[in-house]
Amino acid sequence: MQWTELIVFSALFLLVTVMGFLAAKWQKGDTLEHLDEWGLGGRKFGSWITWFLVGGDLYTAYTFVAVPALMFGAGALGFYALPYTIILYPLVFLPLVRMWSVSRVHGYVTPADFVKGRYGSHWLALIIAITGIVATMPYIALQLVGLEAVLRSMGLNGSGILGHLPLFIAFLILALYTYQSGLRAPALIAFVKDILIYLVILVAIIYLPSKFGGWGEIFNDAQDKFNKTPPPPAAPADGMLLTGANQLQYATLALGSALALFLYPHSLTGILASRGRNVIKRNMVALPAYSLLLGLLALLGFVAISAGTKPIVNQATGRPDTNTIVPELFAANFPSWFTGIAFAAIGIGALVPAAIMSIAAANLWTRNIYKEYVKKSATPAEEAKQAKLASLVVKFGAVAFIVFVDPQFSIDLQLMGGVMILQTLPAVAIALYTRWFHVYALVAGWIAGMGYGMWLLYNIGNPFIKKEHFAGSALPLGNISIFGWHPFGGSTTQIYVGIVALFVNLLVAVVVTLIAKKAKWFNGTDQTDPSDYHVDEDSPRVKPIAAH
């Protein structure tokens, strides 16, 4: 048991717990018994609050332990997270301000709300809602993986249900203050989380290289480690540089991840909670500061190689848990009090996105399933209560998943989640600009892309970890077949499955749309107006929250 680290960690955790409960009175509206207030913070967050909230949501605890761990194990391929989070913001700059405007005019709370308004189809909206919930659940579970890495390093996490008791306590507290304060709780706590993260990473990136002989020596040590790895197929590909086989995977993984991120409902929740279009524009310019931090953080994977850091062995699986690389690196090379601050930064970094994700999933359940199919006459207060209960179910479902299922399965599900959420791109992102696609085509494309993507993921194995199915998202081009025809022959060049599935989705959607237009099938009713996509907060067309 690391007592000093535990005391510092607990003190900071207690601080954010108090802040979480007090957040209910911060920027308080008329009532929290309304989904716009509880689930979107009153839609009035300014530039600074939105920056911390969205940054705390996108750059999660799992990101801060998994990216250096991937650099530690695979080398250059792990750096894909940097170009991914750089190209992300130019891609989504204009679509997000359009989404904010149309959502503010019509009172949309979820992307499925927008889809229903755009196409007048509650069935298509249901598909988008279910996809969002299913894709978000393993994402929440992954935050627990990041938190557990810290708990293991402090000696707090063992096997069995009692071994997970600290995790239960942390998420019980999270559930209670989220239930009371809604989105205001993670928004306020995000200030503490991000300040701690910036402090810890900047200190680490300056101090640790000087301790191990500078960056030149660190890169040489990493190169020596990767040079000792047998070449494929005897061992997984790694190295300081990409190979001919994984360059396409690197590029498509970065592009696919960038296209997918703001399709996740929790990412849009932070955007819809902002006060206006200018707030979003400023944030799209300022959020890449987190990407700079992420790039520096990723290099700690190489620092861990130079330091000779060893991951903790997971008692349940008997395998080294590479997600403990960063916590172990800090524990071995910093004073206990500073290590406690670092552990708290990662731990709190799990709570902020987990809260936002559970709220987003609860919003989808309430607006697009409960109100649509269970109780159409639900009042705003009943909607808010239903969302609060749903957020509790989502959180404890994620905890149960970690406790009773191999955490590796959560990681596999997250790979599937990225492929899943990409299939909503035509109905959500493209629909912000055009209704050219027919509603039947969007459903058919979703089915085709989802089915083909899951089939490809199912057939990806990894003999090094003794898994035959769902062992990754990198697909050799030679494995792509069209009714038995292999257009790429036996190529071993790899590509991200999500991009392939999205291509199939779009292809089917185009074909069915052309057929539908030829047959003059009815394409639903658009409840939005072209001018809705340009409305700002000062427009008289923006309704008060009570009017929604």
Side-chain angles (χ1 to χ4, degrees), residues 62 134-135 137-142 145 148 314 317 319 321 323 397-398 400-418 420 454 457-458 465 467 469-472:
Y62 182 70
V134 173
M137 285 296 291
Y139 220 149
I140 300 173
L142 283 190
V145 172
E148 279 206 313
N314 187 328
T317 63
R319 297 193 300 264
D321 180 6
N323 291 320
F401 209 89
I402 288 295
V403 172
F404 298 110
V405 181
D406 182 356
Q408 179 60 43
F409 189 53
S410 298
I411 298 171
D412 297 339
L413 279 180
Q414 174 54 20
L415 294 174
M416 295 166 61
M420 287 178 187
M454 293 304 104
L457 287 172
Y458 176 80
I465 58 174
K467 289 196 66 173
H469 307 291
F470 297 113

Side-chain angles (χ1 to χ4, degrees), residues 283-308:
N283 272 271
M284 292 303 103
V285 173
L287 279 167
Y290 282 94
S291 302
L292 172 63
L293 189 72
L294 182 61
L296 297 174
L297 175 76
L299 293 175
L300 293 182
F302 287 165
V303 174
I305 293 174
S306 190

Side-chain angles (χ1 to χ4, degrees), residues 42-57:
R43 299 183 187 255
K44 57 187 177 185
F45 291 158
S47 297
W48 277 106
I49 300 173
T50 301
W51 188 70
F52 279 108
L53 177 65
V54 176
D57 183 24

Side-chain angles (χ1 to χ4, degrees), residues 167-232:
L167 196 63
F168 281 127
I169 295 172
F171 256 62
L172 176 62
I173 294 171
L174 169 69
L176 291 175
Y177 64 63
T178 305
Y179 185 93
Q180 175 177 311
S181 305
L183 191 66
R184 287 176 172 83
L188 189 58
I189 294 170
F191 282 87
V192 177
K193 173 252 183 185
D194 291 345
I195 290 170
L196 290 178
I197 286 288
Y198 271 93
L199 170 67
V200 168
I201 300 306
L202 291 176
V203 169
I205 216 69
I206 294 171
Y207 170 71
L208 289 176
S210 64
K211 182 175 181 178
F212 297 109
W215 285 110
E217 192 65 30
I218 288 170
F219 285 129
N220 287 337
D221 291 341
Q223 182 71 68
D224 291 341
K225 173 185 180 290
F226 296 131
N227 285 343
K228 295 174 183 177
T229 306

Side-chain angles (χ1 to χ4, degrees), residues 256-542:
S257 300
L259 292 173
L261 188 56
F262 275 97
L263 293 172
Y264 278 102
H266 64 89
S267 301
L268 274 179
T269 295
I271 296 300
L272 298 184
S274 61
R275 188 172 57 224
R277 290 165 63 98
N278 287 334
V279 169
I280 298 170
K281 291 175 183 178
R282 293 187 200 105
N283 272 271
M284 292 303 103
V285 173
L287 279 167
Y290 282 94
S291 302
L292 172 63
L293 189 72
L294 182 61
L296 297 174
L297 175 76
L299 293 175
L300 293 182
F302 287 165
V303 174
I305 293 174
S306 190
T309 305
K310 302 295 182 185
I312 296 174
V313 175
N314 187 328
Q315 296 176 13
T317 63
R319 297 193 300 264
D321 180 6
T322 55
N323 291 320
T324 60
I325 282 294
V326 168
E328 287 298 289
L329 175 67
F330 278 90
N333 294 285
F334 282 105
S336 297
W337 63 268
F338 187 82
T339 302
I341 293 175
F343 286 176
I346 298 173
I348 297 168
L351 302 183
V352 171
I356 301 169
M357 291 169 191
S358 65
I359 290 170
N363 289 344
L364 284 168
W365 158 259
T366 303
R367 288 296 290 263
N368 307 115
I369 299 177
Y370 176 77
K371 187 175 175 65
E372 189 67 43
Y373 298 99
V374 180
K375 190 175 183 181
K376 288 182 177 291
S377 61
T379 64
E382 289 173 329
E383 284 186 33
K385 183 177 181 180
Q386 187 66 210
K388 290 178 180 180
L389 294 173
S391 73
L392 294 179
V393 172
V394 167
K395 289 186 190 73
F396 288 106
V399 173
F401 209 89
I402 288 295
V403 172
F404 298 110
V405 181
D406 182 356
Q408 179 60 43
F409 189 53
S410 298
I411 298 171
D412 297 339
L413 279 180
Q414 174 54 20
L415 294 174
M416 295 166 61
V419 176
M420 287 178 187
I421 206 69
L422 262 178
Q423 307 318 308
T424 66
L425 185 143
V428 178
I430 295 178
L432 286 167
Y433 290 90
T434 177
R435 282 185 88 248
W436 184 83
F437 284 113
H438 194 279
V439 64
Y440 295 165
L442 292 172
V443 174
W446 179 89
I447 293 171
M450 190 72 72
Y452 192 58
M454 293 304 104
W455 171 251
L456 292 177
L457 287 172
Y458 176 80
N459 286 301
I460 295 177
N462 187 337
F464 305 109
I465 58 174
K466 299 179 181 179
K467 289 196 66 173
E468 296 182 1
H469 307 291
F470 297 113
S473 60
L475 175 74
L477 289 175
N479 288 8
I480 297 176
S481 65
I482 304 172
F483 300 109
W485 173 54
H486 292 264
F488 300 100
S491 174
T492 58
T493 299
Q494 296 177 322
I495 189 171
Y496 174 49
V497 167
I499 291 293
V500 178
L502 179 61
F503 175 79
V504 171
N505 182 338
L506 290 169
L507 181 63
V508 171
V510 168
V511 171
V512 175
T513 295
L514 293 174
I515 295 171
K517 289 183 180 295
K518 186 77 173 176
K520 298 182 179 180
W521 294 344
F522 178 64
N523 193 23
T525 303
D526 187 2
Q527 299 168 11
T528 69
D529 184 83
S531 63
D532 293 346
Y533 297 88
H534 306 283
V535 168
D536 205 346
E537 63 196 89
D538 299 324
S539 170
R541 296 183 60 209
V542 172

